[in-house]
Amino acid sequence: TRFSTALSQTPSISSISSEGREDLQVNRLETQIWIKPDIEKTDVDFSEILNAIQEIAKDVNIFFDELEGVNSPSKDDDSLLHHGNLTSTSDDASRLEVVGEEVPDKNKANGLYFRDGKCRIDYILVYRKSNPQTEKREVFERNIRAEGLQMEKESSLTNSDIIFVKLHAPWEVLGKYAELMNVRMPFRRKIYYLHRRYKFMNRIEKQISRFRGWLPRKPMKLDKETLPDLEENDCYTAPFSQQRIHHFIIHNKDTFFNNATRSRIVHHILQRVKYEEGKNKIGLNRLLSNGSYEAAFPLHEGSYRSKNSIRTHGAENHRHLLYECWASWGVWYKYQPLDLVRRYFGEKIGLYFAWLGWYTGMLFPAAFIGLFVFLYGVTTLNHCQVSKEVCQATDIIMCPICDKYCPFMRLSDSCVYAKVTHLFDNGATVFFAVFMAVWATVFLEFWKRRRAVIAYDWDLIDWEEEEEEIRPQFEAKYSKKERMNPISGKPEPYQAFADKCSRLIVSASGIFFMICVVIAAVFGIVIYRVVTVSTFAAFKWALIRNNSQVATTGTAVCINFCIIMLLNVVTSQTALSFFTEQPRTESEWENSFTLKMFLFQFVNLNSSTFYIAFFLGRFTGHPGAYLRLINRWRLEECHPSGCLIDLCMQMGIIMVLKQTWNNFMELGYPLIQNWWTRRKLRQEYGTQRKTSFPQWEKDYNLQPMNAYGLFDEYLEMILQFGFTTIFVAAFPLAPLLALLNNIIEIRLDAYKFVTQWRRPLASRAKDIGIWYGILEGIGILSVITNAFVIAVTSDFIPRLVYAYKYGPCAGQGEAGQKCMVGYVNASLSVFLVSDFENRSEPTSNGSEFSGSPLKYCRYRDYRDPPHSPVPYGYTLQFWHVLAARLAFIIVFEHLVFCIKHLISYLIPDLPKDLRDRMRREKYLIQEMMYEAELERLQKERKERKKNGKSYHNEWP
């Protein structure tokens, strides 16, 4: 009776119009039942409707995302790319749904299926007929068929020697290995429990939502109305099980497993198939390494371009959708469709772009504050007492900065450099250094939280990496000595501890040798700077002669950049020869290789910067007693306005040139290679023939992903992060340059992955791996380096000491601009010109300044005058400044480290709402699994009773 009453009160689904169905909502803020427009009138599960009505009667606030139990086509992960289609599709990359025998014909033309147009290509193997490894391939392919995979071969249209092997995994094989691999699949729509709300709160929320409707939409959000394919199903997932297959939402077996999952399952099978008799003759990787196969890759889902607009005709395939809403330059300001990236490329690549997007977003406040510090220097430039005194010091004559050819110069000639130095070295510099140290910690801590949310949304919380295979090189090297694996209980190759240590020492020695080469290159740059200063000082052009030190710094930085890139190329080509270790698994090899290569690249990029920041002009001696290299070359001095301008030039030029070069090599080089390949094909076969190439032929002509995977992508960003944080006190505009580069970098990488590279294998990962530890190390190093930059490189501490101890405001506790009067004169020492060494004595006697030979000149240091009891000895002010610098370093480091640790403690790694959702979901999953099993048992009991088979003591 209750069922009949409930049914009579429920309108017929088939009689409701599309607008009426969409309007069938019961108090969106209270209890809602949403019925999709594509509900058909066949096989409606009325028990679900009855349950919903009963829940409404109990006034329980439950929101059903979709009405369960309806046997109608629904948008699985890859099932529909076009809205409005009512027939299920077997090809998630096909554009239109065609009924009958037209579907195979359509599939034959797009190059994504076998010749029959029904079996989808899940993986491609490529080999040459002329390759002698025929027997291994035949055994391998015979074992592939034995595993249940279907195979078909095609010869290349451009080269008959090239053979493409097309592989397809049937449903039975996919189900078997999905269960073995613990692939998580959707089994129930999520149920959201909403809190009870009062009528007053409902009215307020309605007014707020109406007000929001008047506001413009967020321009950075993707438009899901015009791009409906971006909508993701919101389902609970569980490891796939064939015994409980009735629990999972399967609308179409052809699209239940998406393309990335199918390719991953096939790759998993290929890695475990034998190609020769013997326990170690297993896996596709070995056949690729010995040349039996030339390439192996999953297919892209068709072309990324379309003649029709995506907004009017929809997306041709997921690749086209990614290009339009992610890789196109027109959407550079929008958020990334990370769920779509993960669905197409896998979790590992999706996590990289999620981290890159998070890093780019966190650069906005850093770039804003850095720009504010720079603008603060611009606005206070005319009020800076030090710059005024430098520009007005026409009567102060400075000693030559190099031997013989460098002339005496007025201090006022460095007026421009003093003003430029103030733009970066002003009162806000210390605040910005502390801010960036705290920013690095906040960035890492909030990335942990962001990663946890992503891991939850992508079902990575409970995922553990399966027992990795042993590397082929490890097996080949240590196959004679075996021991029992404590996890699998099987014998495996074993590497002795002594052999491991010896190989580690040799590998570390190779990296140490390369670091020594980098230090030698820096030493060469130092000699170049010393020699070139004198050369430019004697140059014919007045512009270069008058700015010899700046010209020297600029050319030295450019030469240093060329050396950096040359050493990078040499190291990338010879890295494997230096890396003599034999890690057991691929992840161990990747972590070890990453750490060593990063160490070299970091030293290569930053060694010259460390020299300029902490050594340039520190150990030069004084006029009359200069320190020299090999007792020949006089060490380079800082500019009269300080060494900070040299550090700024070094960082600015290196950062801009390196980012420009990296962007060109990442995109320009593959573009040129692919363009050259297309050009040869056009010349040989014409334009029309090229457009008719099947998808496997087009993908084979693309560039493969580099052998190191995402190593180069991460390395570029991590080095940039180091440049942004380590010396940011000397160059506040570094975050702004990094932000501008990253906005371009995201779209460059996206364009490269979608259009220029073969589709990489979808891999799973829980986080960014060892790179997070490297980021934490850079964050700690940045605190130390910024403390030394402020204390040693900049003039912040000497000015502070002068203001409180020696200036007009000494003892008054003030440190304003009026307290800096006389600072320039107090920071310069006096030298007797007659005390010059013979090889240092300048060619001019300085008579052009006063009409008579100069007797005295000034230089930057705190030393006694020549006629004091101890000529050129350190003054008391020098020791005060030195003590203040050491005290500042200690206080700054301890303060910032305390703030960093406090922030790390206060910010939990897991958001509270996410923790509650995880607990609630775990409870609901257990309840739903129990209810589903109970329902199945009840149905079986009813069927047995119906068939007359009744048993005693049945449960339930």
Side-chain angles (χ1 to χ4, degrees), residues 10 220 482 505 900:
T10 305
M220 292 183 292
E482 294 183 346
I505 292 173
K900 286 170 66 70

Side-chain angles (χ1 to χ4, degrees), residues 852-885:
S852 59
L854 285 176
K855 292 184 179 181
Y856 301 98
C857 62
R858 310 292 294 272
Y859 61 99
R860 282 175 55 93
D861 209 342
Y862 296 100
R863 292 183 180 271
D864 293 323
H867 302 296
S868 61
V870 183
Y872 308 118
Y874 287 118
T875 62
L876 183 61
Q877 187 174 356
F878 168 83
W879 300 109
H880 285 164
V881 170
L882 180 62
R885 282 173 169 168

Side-chain angles (χ1 to χ4, degrees), residues 553-781:
T553 301
T555 55
V557 172
C558 294
I559 294 174
N560 185 31
F561 171 76
C562 295
I563 293 175
I564 289 172
M565 303 312 298
L566 178 63
L567 288 176
N568 285 347
V569 172
V570 172
T571 306
S572 61
Q573 298 296 327
T574 61
L576 296 181
S577 61
F578 283 105
F579 193 75
T580 58
E581 292 180 65
Q582 286 290 353
R584 176 179 169 273
T585 62
E586 287 294 335
S587 63
E588 293 176 3
W589 183 91
E590 184 178 341
N591 289 340
S592 180
F593 179 80
T594 297
L595 183 61
K596 292 178 176 59
M597 284 298 294
F598 167 78
L599 181 62
F600 167 76
Q601 296 277 6
F602 180 81
V603 174
N604 185 31
L605 180 65
N606 295 286
S607 55
S608 57
T609 309
F610 271 90
Y611 164 75
I612 294 175
F614 305 127
F615 297 97
L616 180 62
R618 308 296 167 202
F619 310 101
T620 59
H622 63 86
Y626 287 117
L627 299 178
R628 298 179 180 273
L629 285 174
I630 322 178
N631 199 26
R632 180 177 179 182
W633 292 299
R634 168 183 162 186
L635 290 175
E636 187 182 6
E637 292 186 43
C638 291
H639 197 272
S641 298
C643 292
L644 200 65
I645 187 67
D646 297 273
L647 185 58
C648 292
M649 289 182 62
Q650 173 80 14
M651 292 188 62
I653 295 176
I654 291 292
M655 197 169 186
V656 172
L657 289 180
K658 192 172 190 306
Q659 291 179 348
T660 304
W661 174 260
N662 286 340
N663 290 336
F664 169 76
M665 290 302 295
E666 283 187 5
L667 184 63
Y669 185 66
L671 272 174
I672 293 173
Q673 285 185 316
N674 291 333
W675 170 81
W676 184 254
T677 302
R678 292 193 301 267
R679 182 176 178 273
K680 290 194 299 183
L681 293 177
R682 278 197 303 267
Q683 291 177 350
E684 295 180 10
Y685 303 97
T687 305
Q688 296 181 353
R689 180 69 181 275
K690 176 184 174 299
T691 55
S692 63
F693 284 163
Q695 189 61 42
W696 58 81
E697 191 97 29
K698 296 177 182 178
D699 286 6
Y700 177 69
N701 291 325
L702 295 177
Q703 298 302 309
M705 191 174 180
N706 59 65
Y708 301 140
L710 292 171
F711 171 79
D712 291 335
E713 316 298 329
Y714 274 116
L715 179 66
E716 179 186 356
M717 291 296 101
I718 300 300
L719 291 176
Q720 183 205 81
F721 178 81
F723 236 68
T724 304
T725 55
I726 292 178
F727 295 103
V728 73
F731 192 58
L733 294 180
L736 179 61
L737 294 180
L739 174 62
L740 297 177
N741 174 79
N742 286 8
I743 292 175
I744 300 173
E745 179 75 20
I746 291 176
R747 305 305 162 181
L748 278 180
D749 285 347
Y751 185 83
K752 177 177 61 179
F753 271 93
V754 173
T755 68
Q756 302 302 310
W757 278 2
R758 296 173 190 163
R759 186 176 183 176
L761 181 69
S763 302
R764 303 203 86 189
K766 293 184 67 173
D767 49 34
I768 62 176
I770 195 174
W771 294 109
Y772 184 84
I774 293 175
L775 286 170
E776 286 187 325
I778 291 177
I780 294 173
L781 180 62

Side-chain angles (χ1 to χ4, degrees), residues 23 51 144 220 318 447 469 472 490 743 787 819 867 873:
D23 292 334
N51 292 336
I144 287 176
M220 292 183 292
H318 284 143
W447 163 246
E469 292 183 341
K490 298 178 181 179
I743 292 175
C819 301
H867 302 296

